[in-house]
Amino acid sequence: MYDVLIIGSGPGGYVAAIRAGQCGLKVGVVEKNPLLGGCCLHVGCIPTKAMLHAADVYELFLHGAEQGIEAENVRVNWARILGRKNQIIQKHAKGLEGLFRKHKVETIHGYGKLLGKGRVEVKGPEGLREVEAKNVILATGSEARMLPGLDPDPERILTNIEILDLEQIPKSLGIIGAGAVGVEFASIYRRFGSEVTILEMLPRLVPVEDEDVSAELARQFRKQGIESRTGARVEQVEKRPECVEVEYQDADGRAQKLCVEKLLVAVGRKPNTDSIGLENTAIRADRGFVPVDPYMATAEPGVYAIGDIVAASPQLAHVASMEGLVAVGRLAGKPVRPVNYRRIPGCTYCEPQIGSVGLTEAQARKEGYPVKVGKFSFAANSKASILGSHGGFIKIVAEEKYGEILGAHIIGPQATELVCEMVTAIESEATVESMMSTIHAHPTLSEAMGDAFNAIYGLAING
Ligand SMILES: Cc1cc2nc3c(=O)[nH]c(=O)nc-3n(C[C@H](O)[C@H](O)[C@H](O)COP(=O)(O)OP(=O)(O)OC[C@H]3O[C@@H](n4cnc5c(N)ncnc54)[C@H](O)[C@@H]3O)c2cc1C
């Protein structure tokens, strides 16, 4: 009998498992894939960032002459880029096996299904077996959602999985969906030479971000030659011999067609909860998502849910991990704080990067806050000039009277690293005033943060 059995070994499940081991619990992880790590490690966060990094390096070489570094005949070795990505994945999957051994976490290979009352059926390579546990954590993650009536075709109509291993860089790539996944692949393939067209149904790119950030990304993508068609409603996709043809209605309601060699569908993620035995429990899923209390407990006693399957929780690896820590702390009887969903960094690793936390300006106004905004452009930051990357800005959204920091929105160089300072600031309840007197080293990108806070009162020094 396990103290806790975790179904799924993604960033939710594996982090929960290690913490359970640290708490001295007898813990098992059921994983249907031969390797640990989940979507994040194998077909999500890690491979995309490895490919984005390769695109950064390629770009640096291509434009090195501007900085006095001249390289001739710079070429992309696509097979090597994919090989390096795969090596990174393998290394970290092996690393997880080591961590599991260290923390005495048992891995049970197979497909897990709840049978009710602490019993879990595992269908594995050696057949069916039943496992008993005092507590179960569901961490089964998500998969790409398809457009209704559209079947994926591993050759030409792709999800985040197939697009990671294309034999060649496509001449043209259509992307349906301008969320994080869509814009990251746009940034990868455009920089390796594909003609990229994004079709987004909503009026702007990265629709969850602050409106100014969306506008800046659209501007920068235009400069890079990425074609963004927002307000585009896809109606039909046909596979023609010469291309994949996408019929859509544009923002003015006119019928349009797009012909591309490959089409990526990036319209959201569907929770993996269809066949995990929820019907044998008191859990009533909401369009597949599992409702939980602040400590990740479901309606079924002793069953917790974390990660991409959780209702109203952003589908991010670090959220899954923190939810895992909360669930384990709770079931182990340790003091834990529920996840504060207003303090979650959102990072999109497109070029330029986006990092944000807290409320957008529009959300803050809608919630009735008297809002003050400070904005500082990287164009006036010396480190950004040194890097040769001075597009974008930092925007701080603050409450006027007490200087509470409500949100921070960064687009530009290293935005995904810079946002971490803001997460810490908000988490430790720093105010606009305390941030104005926080010393930022010179010359750094984070100096722009100090300027953005000062800009709230028109006191930015450098701009
Ligand atoms: C292209 C892409 C890029 C992304 N980039 C980022 C990023 O940069 N940063 C970020 O924070 N997030 C990113 N995400 C999102 C991130 O991958 C997910 O939020 C995260 O993986 C969710 O973790 P999880 O533990 O809930 O599930 P998953 O990582 O999906 O893991 C679930 C695991 O459960 C296993 N499983 C499922 N059902 C069963 C079953 N019945 N029995 C046994 N095992 C089962 C699966 O095989 C899998 O290993 C990205 C996603 C995509 C698609």
Side-chain angles (χ1 to χ4, degrees):
M1 163 88 80
Y2 290 96
D3 292 316
V4 55
L5 189 73
I6 299 165
I7 307 182
S9 71
Y14 90 74
V15 168
I18 290 170
R19 177 54 51 88
Q22 290 167 337
C23 291
L25 301 177
K26 182 172 163 54
V27 51
V29 171
V30 183
E31 174 53 61
K32 70 181 168 65
N33 283 342
L35 294 174
L36 302 172
C39 159
C40 175
L41 176 56
H42 296 277
V43 289
C45 328
I46 302 303
T48 47
K49 268 83 253 178
M51 291 168 85
L52 280 157
H53 176 69
D56 288 346
V57 173
Y58 181 47
E59 245 203 329
L60 261 182
F61 275 99
L62 283 183
H63 302 296
E66 289 161 23
Q67 301 182 35
I69 311 293
E70 292 172 9
E72 278 165 26
N73 203 13
V74 178
R75 292 183 313 278
V76 172
N77 181 336
W78 187 239
R80 181 73 197 107
I81 289 174
L82 300 190
R84 179 172 184 271
K85 159 190 77 85
N86 293 338
Q87 276 169 3
I88 294 168
I89 295 171
Q90 297 288 331
K91 174 182 163 211
H92 285 269
K94 286 275 163 241
L96 285 179
E97 286 174 13
L99 285 171
F100 274 19
R101 274 193 301 278
K102 178 175 169 195
H103 295 286
K104 300 190 174 50
V105 176
E106 286 175 41
T107 306
I108 306 167
H109 288 288
Y111 190 94
K113 183 175 172 182
L114 295 169
L115 297 175
K117 307 220 172 344
R119 289 176 310 127
V120 173
E121 174 195 276
V122 181
K123 196 175 188 177
E126 280 117 43
L128 271 187
R129 66 183 271 206
E130 213 176 287
V131 188
E132 281 192 287
K134 291 181 196 152
N135 298 281
V136 177
I137 299 179
L138 301 172
T140 50
S142 64
E143 62 184 29
R145 204 182 276 287
M146 267 289 133
L147 289 172
L150 180 63
D151 291 326
D153 152 8
E155 293 298 317
R156 295 199 289 167
I157 302 178
L158 316 170
T159 68
N160 63 295
I161 298 178
E162 300 81 30
I163 196 168
L164 291 171
D165 285 302
L166 296 180
E167 278 177 17
Q168 284 175 344
I169 299 163
K171 286 204 170 44
S172 59
L173 172 69
I175 298 178
I176 306 181
V181 174
V183 298
E184 286 185 5
F185 280 112
S187 281
I188 293 171
Y189 280 97
R190 177 63 196 143
R191 288 184 292 164
F192 287 127
S194 302
E195 290 296 323
V196 175
T197 308
I198 303 176
L199 300 177
E200 166 58 52
M201 194 170 72
L202 293 172
R204 57 194 179 97
L205 303 179
V206 284
V208 300
E209 299 294 343
D210 190 274
E211 288 180 21
D212 289 352
V213 168
S214 298
E216 177 66 15
L217 185 65
R219 206 174 66 80
Q220 301 258 1
F221 268 13
R222 212 164 24 246
K223 270 173 60 184
Q224 296 170 23
I226 295 174
E227 170 88 27
S228 308
R229 302 185 190 165
T230 51
R233 179 180 293 271
V234 172
E235 307 210 304
Q236 201 159 350
V237 177
E238 291 285 345
K239 284 189 270 179
R240 307 253 181 245
E242 67 287 5
C243 72
V244 181
E245 190 178 87
V246 186
E247 291 178 25
Y248 67 96
Q249 221 178 61
D250 70 15
D252 301 319
R254 285 186 304 238
Q256 302 283 2
K257 278 186 189 164
L258 173 71
C259 221
V260 284
E261 184 184 327
K262 307 271 183 197
L263 179 69
L264 170 70
V265 181
V267 293
R269 310 273 309 162
K270 174 177 150 335
N272 292 326
T273 52
D274 283 352
S275 341
I276 58 169
L278 295 185
E279 65 282 5
N280 300 322
T281 70
I283 299 169
R284 295 291 162 262
D286 174 9
R287 284 162 295 147
F289 291 98
V290 178
V292 293
D293 76 3
Y295 296 96
M296 314 318 296
T298 69
E300 176 76 6
V303 178
Y304 296 75
I306 60 173
D308 279 9
I309 62 170
V310 172
S313 171
Q315 291 179 308
L316 292 168
H318 41 282
V319 177
S321 300
M322 189 52 78
E323 289 174 344
L325 296 179
V326 170
V328 171
R330 183 69 163 181
L331 66 86
K334 308 273 183 210
V336 275
R337 274 195 305 170
V339 175
N340 185 333
Y341 289 93
R342 287 200 162 194
R343 295 177 182 171
I344 291 170
C347 293
T348 305
Y349 302 75
C350 50
E351 173 54 41
Q353 293 189 352
I354 300 170
S356 62
V357 57
L359 300 180
T360 64
E361 183 180 351
Q363 285 166 342
R365 293 194 190 283
K366 197 165 166 210
E367 291 197 9
Y369 284 101
V371 170
K372 282 285 242 186
V373 169
K375 205 167 169 187
F376 188 79
S377 162
F378 284 110
N381 174 268
S382 50
K383 183 63 186 280
S385 299
I386 292 165
L387 296 177
S389 174
H390 33 229
F393 56 80
I394 297 180
K395 174 174 174 178
I396 306 295
V397 179
E399 187 275 337
E400 188 173 5
K401 192 163 172 209
Y402 301 104
E404 181 187 354
I405 306 166
L406 301 173
H409 307 277
I410 310 168
I411 178 164
Q414 298 295 330
T416 58
E417 300 289 339
L418 289 173
V419 74
C420 302
E421 177 183 0
M422 290 316 305
V423 181
T424 310
I426 294 178
E427 190 63 39
S428 41
E429 300 184 354
T431 61
V432 171
E433 279 205 351
S434 61
M435 290 307 293
M436 283 169 75
S437 49
T438 296
I439 300 174
H440 291 91
H442 177 74
T444 60
L445 294 169
S446 67
E447 267 181 297
M449 195 71 81
D451 272 317
F453 276 99
N454 279 288
I456 292 176
Y457 296 108
L459 292 173
I461 297 297
N462 296 295

